[in-house]
Amino acid sequence: NEGNEYFKEKDYGKAVLSYTEGLKKKCEDPELGAVLLTNRAAAHARLGNYRSALNDAIQARRLKPTHLKAIVRGALCHLELKNFSEAIAWCEEGLQIDSREKKLLEARAKADKLKVNVMAASRVCCADPRIALFCPERNIKLVLEPSNEEEEMSDGLAEMSLDGFHSDNGMGAKVHLDGGGSLNWPVLFLYPEHEQTDFIAAFHENTRFIDHLMVMFAELPPWDLERKYLPGNLELYFEDEERAEMYEVNPEHTLLQVLQHQRYFVKAGTPTVLAFVKRSPFSKKYFSSKKVHRL
């Protein structure tokens, strides 16, 4: 109920935390568990955390395979992540439960159309050509055409498993302008110690990194067996590949503040940050051979 109230107030971050607290009670009622997971998925989706939302929808279906709201949420997440075949499959399963569900009918039609067009789509990093004009105004430096070496690196990232889907699916998201004239970026988080990634499809330029970390790690990921990845226990960095140097990111800073750094270059339309556990043996070894600019 607390989560629902926060959701109505559009405080989606607190809604996620409330639903998470409910799930921690480990109620044995699968119906309630499916509702909590589906509600949390909806809150994650409003924050642009489509990967987390999809994972919740998948878990909700495991508890209750016929939970229509979970199927709708999963289909919409697949659509946002450009997983068009998966979106169609989820829609088809949902429509077997309710053949008149409007959201599923609309999602299936959109996925069908986009799937047909995707092979012919040009490789452009921006969803709106005006963005190329907005970025210089914000002092954001774009690198639109990746080199052969960067393409190889991107191909390597695409092969990394993301708990059920691959990063090449999520990488289809593009920076876009919202109704208020703000930029929303797809942002990739890398966790080198565990070779894991997180993908946020729509990171608002005026949102702080700590706000996303609080939501992303409200519940520890399954690969964090040592339970070290807590929001306050993480350090963020970006890499200046030209100079082979690392710059620490202040988690209290917004995405825009980081993108405006004189040595930050946005490549292929997707800002990337690396996350490490503070003072961990891995991070000490990782940085031992690099020049690091700390806060």
Side-chain angles (χ1 to χ4, degrees), residues 47-113:
L47 292 167
N49 301 330
Y50 297 115
R51 178 208 171 200
S52 297
L54 179 59
N55 285 341
D56 279 347
I58 291 171
Q59 291 185 59
R61 284 191 66 189
R62 287 174 183 162
L63 290 176
K64 188 180 179 184
T66 59
H67 192 54
L68 190 59
K69 287 186 177 180
I71 295 174
V72 171
R73 178 54 53 199
L76 294 175
C77 286
H78 276 304
L79 192 57
E80 290 289 346
L81 292 165
K82 309 295 186 287
N83 305 337
F84 302 126
S85 295
E86 292 86 345
I88 293 169
W90 279 60
C91 288
E92 292 294 344
E93 291 184 28
L95 290 169
Q96 290 180 16
I97 299 171
D98 183 352
S99 61
R100 295 181 294 180
E101 171 54 54
K102 183 179 179 182
K103 290 182 180 179
L104 291 177
L105 290 169
E106 292 176 349
R108 186 181 65 179
K110 185 174 181 180
D112 280 332
K113 180 179 179 181

Side-chain angles (χ1 to χ4, degrees), residues 1-2 39 42 127 149 196 205 210 221 227 241 245 276:
N1 289 337
E2 181 182 88
N39 287 2
E149 180 181 346
Q196 294 287 331
E205 63 181 352
I210 188 62
R227 305 178 67 82
E241 295 178 10
E245 299 176 355
F276 300 85

Side-chain angles (χ1 to χ4, degrees), residues 12-181:
Y12 303 117
K14 288 185 179 179
V16 167
L17 296 176
S18 295
Y19 296 135
T20 299
E21 287 301 312
L23 287 163
K24 287 179 180 179
K25 300 299 180 183
K26 298 188 182 299
C27 174
E28 295 183 2
D29 180 359
E31 176 81 25
L32 180 56
V35 170
L36 281 167
L37 285 163
T38 303
N39 287 2
R40 190 171 71 174
H44 271 306
R46 292 297 180 94
L47 292 167
N49 301 330
Y50 297 115
R51 178 208 171 200
S52 297
L54 179 59
N55 285 341
D56 279 347
I58 291 171
Q59 291 185 59
R61 284 191 66 189
R62 287 174 183 162
L63 290 176
K64 188 180 179 184
T66 59
H67 192 54
L68 190 59
K69 287 186 177 180
I71 295 174
V72 171
R73 178 54 53 199
L76 294 175
C77 286
H78 276 304
L79 192 57
E80 290 289 346
L81 292 165
K82 309 295 186 287
N83 305 337
F84 302 126
S85 295
E86 292 86 345
I88 293 169
W90 279 60
C91 288
E92 292 294 344
E93 291 184 28
L95 290 169
Q96 290 180 16
I97 299 171
D98 183 352
S99 61
R100 295 181 294 180
E101 171 54 54
K102 183 179 179 182
K103 290 182 180 179
L104 291 177
L105 290 169
E106 292 176 349
R108 186 181 65 179
K110 185 174 181 180
D112 280 332
K113 180 179 179 181
L114 292 172
K115 184 179 179 181
V116 170
N117 295 336
V118 71
M119 297 304 295
S122 60
R123 292 183 60 193
V124 180
C125 76
C126 299
D128 187 327
R130 294 176 297 165
I131 292 171
L133 301 176
F134 278 80
C135 287
E137 290 180 2
R138 287 167 163 78
N139 196 28
I140 297 174
K141 296 167 285 296
L142 294 176
V143 179
L144 297 179
E145 293 297 333
S147 65
N148 291 336
E149 180 181 346
E150 287 158 1
E151 285 184 344
E152 291 174 5
M153 180 186 72
S154 178
D155 291 341
L157 284 173
E159 295 173 0
M160 295 176 65
S161 175
L162 295 182
D163 293 346
F165 67 98
H166 297 274
S167 58
D168 55 340
N169 294 326
M171 294 292 279
K174 298 178 181 179
V175 57
H176 64 273
L177 282 167
D178 62 24

Side-chain angles (χ1 to χ4, degrees), residues 244-261:
E245 299 176 355
M246 304 288 293
Y247 288 83
E248 187 176 359
V249 172
N250 187 340
E252 298 290 334
H253 281 181
T254 65
L255 175 60
L256 179 58
Q257 287 175 298
V258 174
L259 297 186
Q260 289 175 331
H261 190 283

